[in-house]
Every structure is written in structure tokens, then in C-alpha cells.
Amino acid sequence: MLIKSVTLKNFRGYRSETTVLFSNLTTFVGRNDIGKSTILEALDIFFNEGKGCISLDKEDINKRASSEGDDEIIIAVEFFKLPDSLVIDDSNRTTLAAEYLLTESNTLKIVKRYPKAGREKVYIRAKHPTNAVCCDLLSKKITDLKTILNRENIECEDQTRKAVIRTAIWNHFADNLNLEEKEIDVTKEDGKTIWESLKKFLPVYSLFQADRSNNDHDKEIQDPLKEAVKSILKEENVAQMCQQIAEHVTTKLQEVSNHTLDKIREMNPELANSLSPNIPSFTDLKWSDLFKNVSIAGDNDIPINKRGSGVKRLILLNFFRAEAERMQSNTESDGLIYAIEEPETSQHVAHQKILMKALIDLANNKNVQVVLTTHSSYVVKQLKFDNIRLVKEKEEDREERIVQAIEPSQLPYPSLNEINFTSFGEVTEEYHDELYSYLYSNKTDGIKWIEEYKNGKTTVDYIRELPNGTTKTEQKTLTEKIRHQIHHPENCHNEPYTETEIRQSIEDMRAFIMRK
């Protein structure tokens, strides 16, 4: 199972119901504190239920909603690539479609509600029967289902399996099911088995945070393999094997000690009776000490925690990837989602390029999704438009957040530089050139846009350097002057343009294009 969309409501800055579409690689861009990481952390709460990086508390409730008496957080995830079949009660194998647990578009939508940021209540939003006789069959016990069979005179080939009985009842009312979208509670009564079964198929979600500890004393930094040992030893099958070994060794030690005491007793019974073996229990054994010397070291055995911050983060990031794959291999799920905040942090541009190529390749793997946040214009330029989601404030209410998919046709000028300008306010000569070229190459009624743009604009002095070495003062618009200065850096007769001037020129060109 993989994510098709995520919906948030009343979670931090997301007051109104906000739905975000996901692709195999989804990257959230926007200014600081706008709500990019909020989406990744909401997913950590949804999938890992407080056992991951993030725990839910009352501070996560949207402040305005709370003041208005609405204190229920909603995190909903819509999935595709669903299991072909599953067992939701006893040993009855069935399908999500047969149980009317899919949306109209044949996806699975799981809604988690957190009243007052407390314990989750789980629902499936699906197109489900609303006929009073057969609207809540999934929560009924087998005796209740049989009662319906008898009361409605419905034939059923196997009255020992709930899935078969439900199908018989629904088939009986096939012309009068009254299918409507509704939420089915899967945390009460017999509905609990549905959720327990579905949880096994949820993708493994692993979050790598931007502010992940990166100091010398952090245990994971000192050596990720030591932390991996602890994690591996906690796995159920490994713990069982360790217990079996401990029990076997304990039995052998008990035999040896008893035999030794018997021999002592032959010579000195009083001494033998004062002695007893001291064998620690399984829970007291420190299994991780057996692997205390495992490590990853570099040149001249320099430990990881003494390397540069960029190297430490790069090693941790790939340890995170390896651990996520290992966790996924221990589940029935074949879905794996890597969520990484600001992968560019502490990385040289060359490393950013390698890292982004690796993440893009990773996202192209079957049953894998990669979710990123970034403040790097370089990272954005490695992406396609359908990989990018812009998080920003609503124009009519700046306390609310919206998330937009980026389509080239939506932009005043279809360029990744435009996204960087909108998201980060980044001003570059490259973007200025792109806008100018766009104006120059477009016409209306035979008139170039650049001529329309210049018409009526204030001009400034520009000193042109002629081929014979002399100079000539000309009148140019600010945009033209900056264009000339970008393309003729050898001309030192003009004051360099300022950050304010190039920003103003870019904004003027964008405004003109948007009016077109």
C-alpha cells in the first residue's frame, strides 16, 4: 500500500480540511515555519502511533479551532496498491471491495480522529451500504448475522464464515443497498479485527528529521551499528532465539553446578549445602555487550562522531535508509515510505547532487515513496513539476495554510526558478534572464511583449562601452540596464545593480506576464 493523498484538519496550522496529493517523489517547499514538516510529522503520528519520532499532545490542536470549541484533530490517508485479499475475521479470506470498504475511486481511505489530541479513533471512509438492515454488518457477531439470514429468509451456502454470510445478505439486497459515502468505525466491537488486519499491510513510514541530533555525544552518531544492535535484539524472533539460547545454557550450567556440588558433598557435605549456583535470568542478560565492539570507522580508525557534520549526517541518513528497509522486511507490508526533512543540510553541493540522484532513483523503485522538505533552490532544480508541492498562507486568511500541486500552466512563467522565487524569495540572474527572454520571444498582434513592457517605464542612465574603447550614455529601463550588466560584466563604467533593483525588475516582469 502506498499513499495517494493525505488530509489534515485542526492539526497545527491546518485549520480547515486540507488535502495533499502524493506522487512517488513528493517535495514540500515554502518559507520557514509555514507547515512543511507538519505534514511529515502528521504522517509519523498516523503510522507509528506515538512510537516514532513524534508524539501528539494538546499543543498540536489548531489554536483558533480550539478557541472555537473544535478540539478534534483529523489525519486521514488515502491508499492505493491495495492487498488482493485479507482476513478480517477468524480465518475468512475476503477483499476490501467485497466488504464495501473502498471509496468510489477504489482506494482505501483511513481516517484517524484524535478528540482533544487524545487516543485515536479509527474509521474507514468508504462507499458503504446504508440500508438499515445491512448497514453495519462488519460490526456484528456471527449469531447476529444468522438472525438476519433467518428473518429475511436468505439462503447462505456456509453459515460458519462471517464473510460468506455478509456477502449473502448484501447480495440479497443488491438492488436496495443505498450505497453512500460514510465512515465505518473499526475500533469498536468486531470491527476491531478489520483494523488489526489492515495495520499489517500499511507501509513502513520512517521519518528523518532536519533537527536530528548531530553532536559528539549522541549515541547514534557515535556509532549507528551499536544502536542497530539494540533494535535488532528487540525483534520478536531474535528475542525468542536469545531466550532459547539462554534457557539451553542455563540448563547446562545447572547440570554442571549440580554435578560439582554432588562431588563436593561427597567430601564436605556442610560446605556443599552452603553453596548454590548464581545464574542470571534471561531478562538480566546484557546481550548487546556481546557486540560492543561493532563500529563503522574511517581513515586511520577515526570514529564517526569525530568526523565533519556533513559526513556524520550523510552516514546517519544512509543508516536511516538501511534501517527502514530492514524494518519493512519484517512486516507483511510491501510498501516503504522514506520521509526526509531538508536532505541538503550540511551537505556540499556535490553531495547534494549525488544524494538527490539517489533519492530520485529510490523513488522510482516499486512500492517505494520518498517525501522531502527543502529550503534548497538547488534541490528544487533537480525535480520535476509534479514532484513539488508549494505550502503557503491563504490570501484571504493568513493564519490558514494551503498546499498546491505545481503545474507549469499555473505559473506566470513556467520555470523551476519561479518556484524558488515564490517559495524562498530567491533572486538570481538566471531567473531574470529567463523572464526577459520570455518577454522577448512572445508577441501580441505582431508586437513583442518586451516592447509593450518597456513602454512608459522610467529610464536610467546606462554607459555603453563601444568597440573602439569609447563610451556612450544611453537611456534604458531598469530591466534593460540589469540585462546588459549581466551579459557584459567586463563593462565597469556603471554602478553594480543592487539586490533591491534586481528584485524590483523581476517583480515588474512577473506582474506584466501575469496580466497577459
Side-chain angles (χ1 to χ4, degrees), residues 245-259 261 275-285:
I245 292 170
E247 289 172 353
H248 180 75
V249 172
T250 298
T251 300
K252 293 296 182 183
L253 287 174
Q254 195 71 52
E255 290 175 1
V256 171
S257 62
N258 289 341
H259 190 59
L261 290 174
L275 300 175
S276 62
N278 183 14
I279 303 172
S281 66
F282 167 72
T283 55
D284 292 332
L285 295 174

Side-chain angles (χ1 to χ4, degrees), residues 100 126-136 169-170 172-182:
Y100 293 98
K127 198 161 186 182
H128 198 75
T130 60
N131 182 315
V133 180
C134 56
C135 63
D136 59 350
I169 296 172
W170 281 325
H172 180 77
F173 291 98
D175 296 330
N176 191 29
L177 288 174
N178 300 334
L179 295 177
E180 293 180 13
E181 185 177 280
K182 62 176 288 188

Side-chain angles (χ1 to χ4, degrees), residues 310-311 314 346-356 378:
V311 171
L314 192 65
S346 301
Q347 297 304 308
H348 184 274
V349 172
H351 268 171
Q352 289 186 40
K353 185 175 182 179
I354 295 169
L355 181 58
M356 283 308 300
Y378 180 84

Side-chain angles (χ1 to χ4, degrees), residues 413-481:
Y413 176 71
S415 163
L416 290 171
N417 283 314
E418 165 71 18
I419 297 172
N420 285 330
F421 181 83
T422 304
S423 305
F424 314 126
E426 183 183 65
V427 170
T428 63
E429 292 180 346
E430 180 185 17
Y431 185 36
H432 191 278
D433 254 7
E434 284 185 345
L435 289 169
Y436 191 96
S437 298
Y438 189 69
L439 293 176
Y440 189 84
S441 61
N442 280 278
K443 296 179 181 179
T444 300
D445 297 330
I447 301 173
K448 287 188 175 183
W449 285 8
I450 190 65
E451 298 303 323
E452 288 186 55
Y453 171 78
K454 291 190 297 183
N455 188 31
K457 277 204 165 26
T458 303
T459 59
V460 295
D461 289 343
Y462 174 73
I463 302 172
R464 180 189 290 274
E465 189 175 273
L466 302 176
N468 61 8
T470 61
T471 61
K472 177 184 177 182
T473 300
E474 300 176 344
Q475 292 299 301
K476 300 288 183 185
T477 63
L478 176 63
T479 297
E480 286 181 295
K481 179 184 176 183

Side-chain angles (χ1 to χ4, degrees), residues 217-246:
H217 303 292
D218 181 65
K219 291 182 179 179
E220 206 169 55
I221 281 291
Q222 288 177 351
D223 206 310
L225 291 189
K226 288 185 172 65
E227 293 303 298
V229 167
K230 295 178 183 178
S231 177
I232 292 167
L233 289 173
K234 289 178 182 177
E235 292 178 9
E236 185 177 353
N237 61 328
V238 176
Q240 288 175 351
M241 287 189 287
C242 289
Q243 185 169 0
Q244 290 171 0
I245 292 170

Side-chain angles (χ1 to χ4, degrees), residues 104-118:
E104 192 165 10
S105 54
N106 289 318
T107 58
L108 172 66
K109 190 164 190 176
I110 298 173
V111 180
K112 291 194 175 185
R113 297 176 177 271
Y114 304 86
K116 297 183 179 180

